[in-house]
Amino acid sequence: MNALLLKIDPRDTVAIITEASRKGDVVDGITLLSDIPQGHKVALRDMQKGDEVIRYGVVLGYLLEGVKKGAWINENSLELPLQPSLDALSFKEPEEVVLPQPKRTTFEGYANPNGGYAGTRNILAITTTVQCVSGVVDQLVKRIQAELLPQYPNVDGVVAINHAYGCGVAINAPDAVIPIRSIRNTIKNPNFGGEIMVVGLGCEKLTVDKLLSDEENTPENVIILQDYPGYGSMMDALLAMAEA
């Protein structure tokens, strides 16, 4: 692949090279004076010590030494500019933004039964409470794809919402709210059609009640694997819930 130099703003004194290149290569008419890694800066003209290095129209810093056109400019080449104090900054009212009228105001979607956002896919999502059930759920997904989805052409697919959380964690720690909230919100993805299917183990710290409301936490929506005597009965129950 041939390298290019990307210059974004007319004021720029350096450009970004798109591919790693060797000393002596000629890129966009500039002969490189050293090997230059991909994504790094190349001097577009001769510059003196103290000159501004400008990229995207912004001053990145000032040259510690003079350079020739085609030189590699990196963090070791620059003295960073001083950050202005807040008192030295000026502010102005933002200009009014007038957005163009859209050419289309509709899309092919469906309203979720819970009144949430509209979905554009019809996907069965299986959410896990703990990583310990991920292996069973992964096998379940394969069974659903092979045995159930062919019977329901209106269903676009099935996905396992696996995660490395839930077992042996400090579930009441202040920041535990972050992964719990993330999983809870994923369950409500509009492409899941308002349907809930949660698979737990039975001894994890992240219990189902932390993910679902009392109205959602029902036998129609939740399976706890330790309630079943073996893999076969677990899979039968999971497949039955998935089909329902």
Side-chain angles (χ1 to χ4, degrees), residues 6 9 19 29 39 53 68 71 83 87-88 103 118 162 225 233 242:
L6 299 181
D9 190 280
E19 301 291 336
V53 173
K68 297 291 185 181
Q83 184 174 357
D87 294 336
K103 295 180 179 179
N162 291 326
L225 296 187
S233 59

Side-chain angles (χ1 to χ4, degrees), residues 4-18 28 30 32 36 39-47 51-63 65 67-75 77-78:
L4 299 172
L5 290 177
L6 299 181
K7 180 181 178 181
I8 304 301
D9 190 280
R11 295 168 291 176
D12 289 354
T13 60
V14 294
I16 305 303
I17 196 163
T18 60
D28 287 344
I30 293 180
L32 304 184
I36 300 182
H40 280 242
K41 297 178 286 296
V42 179
L44 295 176
R45 59 177 174 83
D46 294 350
M47 290 183 279
D51 282 356
E52 295 178 340
V53 173
I54 303 175
R55 184 188 68 177
Y56 307 151
V58 176
V59 176
L60 300 182
Y62 306 94
L63 284 174
E65 299 292 341
V67 298
K68 297 291 185 181
K69 181 178 180 180
W72 176 20
I73 306 296
N74 56 47
E75 64 275 12
S77 311
L78 303 177

Side-chain angles (χ1 to χ4, degrees), residues 174-175 240:
D175 287 343

